Amino acid sequence: MSQWTLGIIGGSGLYQLDGLANVRRERIETPWGEASDLLTFGELHGVPLVFLPRHGQGHRLPPAAIPFRANIAALKQAGCTDILSISACGSLREELPPGHFVMVDQYVDRTEGRERSFFGPGCVAHVPMAKPVCSRLSRLAAEAGEAAGIALTPRGTYLAMEGPQFSTRAESELYRQWGMDVIGMTNMPEARLAREAELPYASIAMVTDYDCWREHTHSVDAALVLEVMRSNTVKVRQLLDRLVLAMSEQARMPGPDGIETVLDTAIITPPSARDPEMVRRLAAIAGRVLG
């Protein structure tokens, strides 16, 4: 029976997981440097988990300084089969109030200057991103949230902004006109890199505020975000408990979206033209296809 190993990337307010068995912490070196922090290994309901705080303990790293490539590579090297991203976000919809959860299924990426790919000169790959999240993991997480009594929307589009400042009101209104549902600073290029590493990825966006488009309410600020995050963190731990319990009761089979084999048709540089040094680095995340 195949075994799940769930990687969990914790966002603002979620810097550790309690209640794990057989806990150990380890630093994993990757060809792209060190991850945001030590990885915490443990078990819940018999399922191996690997936890990584995206911003580091103490929230040391702003969004643009997060070592996204190292984070995904470290989780891949740690043996994760799937990644669940947990992050705070602002709402761009009246029907998504603070405290509400959204299972992201689409992205619009407005980040700037971040390294978006493991591949590059010497070995080129183009992975499909039409469906940027894993439908199975998203469904399991949504079912777990609903079972825990959490107000949750099973689909939504996430606008990834550069930050670290929050939006202007004009920007917030523009994103609403575009049809965006929530806004955050960290899911991109994280989701892109997980796809290149052939890791099924799902994202729980926890609403902390209404961004700044509601003129009659207080505009978003860090203090408001942290206040709501405290209650959201309690909810997400309840969701995780039910999610992992569901995983413990079923074998892990290859997912329905073909994510685990996406590199079979994505690498277009023939072996004879590949840069050996690039191939050596890529072995950490693409060794299955590069040999």
Side-chain angles (χ1 to χ4, degrees):
M1 183 173 87
S2 296
Q3 173 72 61
W4 301 85
T5 299
L6 181 62
I8 300 172
I9 302 177
S12 300
L14 187 62
Y15 308 111
Q16 64 184 32
L17 285 184
D18 301 322
L20 302 183
N22 303 318
V23 175
R24 63 183 174 87
R25 300 186 74 203
E26 182 179 338
R27 186 176 302 281
I28 294 183
E29 292 288 338
T30 83
W32 297 274
E34 293 186 355
S36 294
D37 211 314
L38 299 178
L39 275 64
T40 299
F41 294 76
E43 295 181 6
L44 182 63
H45 301 303
V47 176
L49 302 184
V50 184
F51 177 76
L52 176 63
R54 184 186 283 116
H55 297 277
Q57 293 290 337
H59 204 110
R60 298 174 290 103
L61 299 171
I66 293 169
F68 289 102
R69 291 191 297 182
N71 286 353
I72 297 299
L75 292 171
K76 177 80 172 186
Q77 292 173 226
C80 292
T81 60
D82 302 80
I83 294 179
L84 182 65
S85 160
I86 301 167
S87 55
C89 70
S91 170
L92 297 169
R93 298 285 162 222
E94 190 72 44
E95 63 271 22
L96 302 175
H100 199 90
F101 285 18
V102 177
M103 293 304 308
V104 177
D105 73 325
Q106 283 295 332
Y107 292 99
V108 170
D109 189 356
R110 297 278 291 172
T111 63
E112 303 171 1
R114 303 182 187 186
E115 295 289 349
R116 299 173 183 229
S117 179
F118 291 109
F119 294 87
C123 191
V124 178
H126 301 285
V127 298
M129 289 294 295
K131 298 179 179 179
V133 301
C134 172
S135 61
R136 176 177 62 185
L137 185 57
S138 294
R139 174 181 54 80
L140 288 173
E143 290 173 352
E146 290 166 359
I150 297 168
L152 183 147
T153 297
R155 299 180 62 182
T157 300
Y158 178 116
L159 187 289
M161 64 181 294
E162 179 63 16
Q165 302 85 1
F166 294 118
S167 305
T168 67
R169 182 162 288 136
E171 289 169 333
S172 193
E173 289 287 7
L174 176 63
Y175 302 149
R176 279 168 48 76
Q177 291 174 23
W178 286 357
M180 305 296 99
D181 297 302
V182 294
I183 183 168
M185 303 178 188
T186 57
N187 275 200
M188 283 293 179
E190 194 173 85
R192 297 183 188 279
L193 295 165
R195 179 60 50 88
E196 288 189 343
E198 298 187 320
L199 286 170
Y201 176 95
S203 173
I204 300 173
M206 303 184 296
V207 176
T208 59
D209 58 85
Y210 273 116
D211 203 42
C212 63
W213 55 272
R214 291 168 109 227
E215 295 191 27
H216 59 285
T217 58
H218 195 281
S219 296
V220 58
D221 60 36
L224 176 64
V225 167
L226 292 174
E227 180 180 346
V228 179
M229 270 305 305
R230 281 190 281 271
S231 62
N232 279 353
T233 298
V234 173
K235 295 177 186 177
V236 80
R237 288 188 171 125
Q238 296 170 342
L239 184 154
L240 286 174
D241 185 76
R242 290 179 180 266
L243 170 62
V244 176
L245 181 60
M247 288 177 162
S248 74
E249 296 171 346
Q250 58 184 282
R252 188 193 184 281
M253 305 297 291
D257 306 315
I259 296 169
E260 296 95 331
T261 55
V262 72
L263 292 179
D264 285 352
T265 55
I267 300 175
I268 64 173
T269 307
S272 60
R274 293 172 187 168
D275 176 9
E277 176 58 23
M278 173 66 85
V279 170
R280 184 192 66 78
R281 296 182 72 197
L282 288 169
I285 60 100
R288 185 189 69 80
V289 290
L290 294 174

